[in-house]
Each structure stands twice: as structure tokens, then as C-alpha cells.
Amino acid sequence: AQSVTQLDSHVSVSEGTPVLLRCNYSSSYSPSLFWYVQHPNKGLQLLLKYTSAATLVKGINGFEAEFKKSETSFHLTKPSAHMSDAAEYFCVVSDRGYSTLTFGKGTMLLVSP
Amino acid sequence: DAGITQSPRYKITETGRQVTLMCHQTWSHSYMFWYRQDLGHGLRLIYYSAAADITDKGEVPDGYVVSRSKTENFPLTLESATRSQTSVYFCASSDGVSVTEAFFGQGTRLTVV
């Protein structure tokens, strides 16, 4: 069975400061991991994905995530937050060979001027 | 237009009525999914389909019916709508070949009164 825990339901940062959104996963097999973003009243957009290549994954809009197997973590980071980053972020896991995705409950990122 | 489209975008229905949410994708992806999104729960899988005429239950299938007679379409039917089915519903598709990411529709906001 696979599961995802997003450790913070809300994260507040100031514009220009670093962003850290935390995610821990549980998986029976070597997982694929994803971060999706959802802006208000919009669909979900893929930010980045890990599929057992490099452990440091770069995504769109300056985001990146590091896969740490020993810690079963896949935290999302960005060096400098922008107002347009305010959205809800979902960490997602999928076991290899099993194509359904399991979502975390989401982290709302709030960015203040 | 290429992509994945859901209809309607908004729907209000009465308790006990049957309602069908439509999903159409143009990529010929083998896998299609229905999720519901509720505050505090993230996205939860209702049903998925690995190919035409192959469907399987997800985490929260009760009260829903799906069919997939054609690869490109995956309608979701609420046979007798209840207030607890008020939610935002997302359809998604993926090629399922190497556990690639899923592509999401814009969502259908369903209100059951």
C-alpha cells in the first residue's frame, strides 16, 4: 500500500524568502513521486516528478525537490517565493507498475508582500 | 483541441436525482481516473480504468458508477445523488506505460441540494 503525508496544512512566507513544503511517503515498491500545484478554481498542474533517475529533481517555476530514500521524504523547495506561487500543493506517490496516484491532503502556500 | 475536457463545469442537482459527469481525452491514453476533492481530504480516487471496458474501484467508489466503452471517454454517474457527494470532481488520464504523470481536467463543481 502507498500513502503520503504532507506535514503542514498551511505554510506562510514573505515574498523573496525560501519555500519549504514537506512530504513523507510510504510505498511497498520503488515509488514514483510527484508534486502538483493547484491555483484557486483551477485544475492541477504538474510541477515536477521523480522516477528513479537523479534524486534532485528540477521542476517548473524554479521549484525543485530531493528524493531521500533513507528518510522516505520528497520535500519541495524554492529559493525565493513569488506572489504567484500562492496556491495549494499536493505531494503524490505512485508505486512502480501501479498506475494509480495517491495524493497527500495538500499544503496551502500563502505568500505575503 | 487536444487535452482532457470535463463537462459540465458546474452542476446543481437535487438529492435523489441521477447525474452524469463527462470526461473526454484526445491523447488515446490507456488510463483514466476520477477523483473527488474535498477540504481536508486532498484528492481521493473514486474509480479508474486501465483500458476500454476495464474499470476498477478506488478508495471511495460507493454511490458512483462508471463505464468506458471508448478509450477517449470515461463518464461518471451518480445514480441517486446525496448531499455528501457535493464536491469538486476531477478526471485525469495517463499513458500508464512508465508511471508517467496524470493530466487533469479543469474539474466539475457539483452541488447536491
Side-chain angles (χ1 to χ4, degrees):
Chain A
Q2 55 195 26
S3 67
V4 174
T5 301
Q6 291 185 242
L7 297 168
D8 306 290
S9 60
H10 292 81
V11 170
S12 295
V13 300
S14 299
E15 192 173 21
T17 63
V19 174
L20 170 64
L21 305 184
R22 300 181 294 165
C23 172
N24 288 117
Y25 71 91
S26 171
S27 175
S28 303
Y29 305 96
S30 297
S32 291
L33 292 158
F34 309 85
W35 277 98
Y36 281 84
V37 61
Q38 185 182 30
H39 287 92
N41 299 313
K42 299 288 187 183
L44 287 94
Q45 180 184 19
L46 180 70
L47 271 182
L48 50 81
K49 64 179 179 180
Y50 165 78
T51 55
S52 82
T55 56
L56 183 62
V57 181
K58 294 188 183 300
I60 61 172
N61 300 334
F63 284 94
E64 62 182 38
E66 186 172 9
F67 174 70
K68 292 187 176 180
K69 186 175 181 178
S70 61
E71 299 176 9
T72 61
S73 70
F74 190 57
H75 300 335
L76 182 70
T77 61
K78 183 174 181 178
S80 176
H82 192 274
M83 295 296 291
S84 61
D85 295 327
E88 190 161 22
Y89 292 79
F90 293 95
C91 183
V92 182
V93 66
S94 180
D95 284 337
R96 285 208 166 276
Y98 187 65
S99 290
T100 63
L101 306 176
T102 299
F103 281 74
K105 293 185 178 182
T107 298
M108 186 68 72
L109 177 64
L110 307 169
V111 183
S112 57
Chain B
D1 288 338
I4 182 164
T5 55
Q6 294 182 233
S7 61
R9 290 292 311 280
Y10 303 91
K11 177 74 176 179
I12 300 174
T13 192
E14 295 178 337
T15 301
R17 287 197 181 267
Q18 182 180 84
V19 60
T20 296
L21 310 183
M22 305 300 293
C23 180
H24 175 78
Q25 54 106 352
T26 60
W27 293 300
S28 299
H29 283 167
S30 54
Y31 280 83
M32 295 187 75
F33 312 88
W34 275 105
Y35 290 88
R36 61 177 290 174
Q37 183 179 26
D38 305 289
L39 270 175
H41 290 281
L43 276 78
R44 293 178 291 175
L45 183 65
I46 304 170
Y47 270 96
Y48 69 101
S49 168
D53 298 321
I54 300 175
T55 62
D56 208 348
K57 296 178 180 178
E59 182 184 354
V60 288
D62 293 342
Y64 303 95
V65 174
V66 293
S67 62
R68 195 162 175 212
S69 57
K70 293 183 177 182
T71 299
E72 62 267 30
N73 296 324
F74 191 40
L76 175 74
T77 298
L78 288 68
E79 293 190 299
S80 178
T82 65
R83 290 196 179 89
S84 65
Q85 293 177 309
T86 293
S87 186
V88 180
Y89 292 84
F90 285 98
C91 180
S93 71
S94 75
D95 66 11
V97 173
S98 58
V99 198
T100 59
E101 69 270 25
F103 296 86
F104 285 81
Q106 289 296 309
T108 295
R109 185 175 294 275
L110 177 68
T111 302
V112 183
V113 298

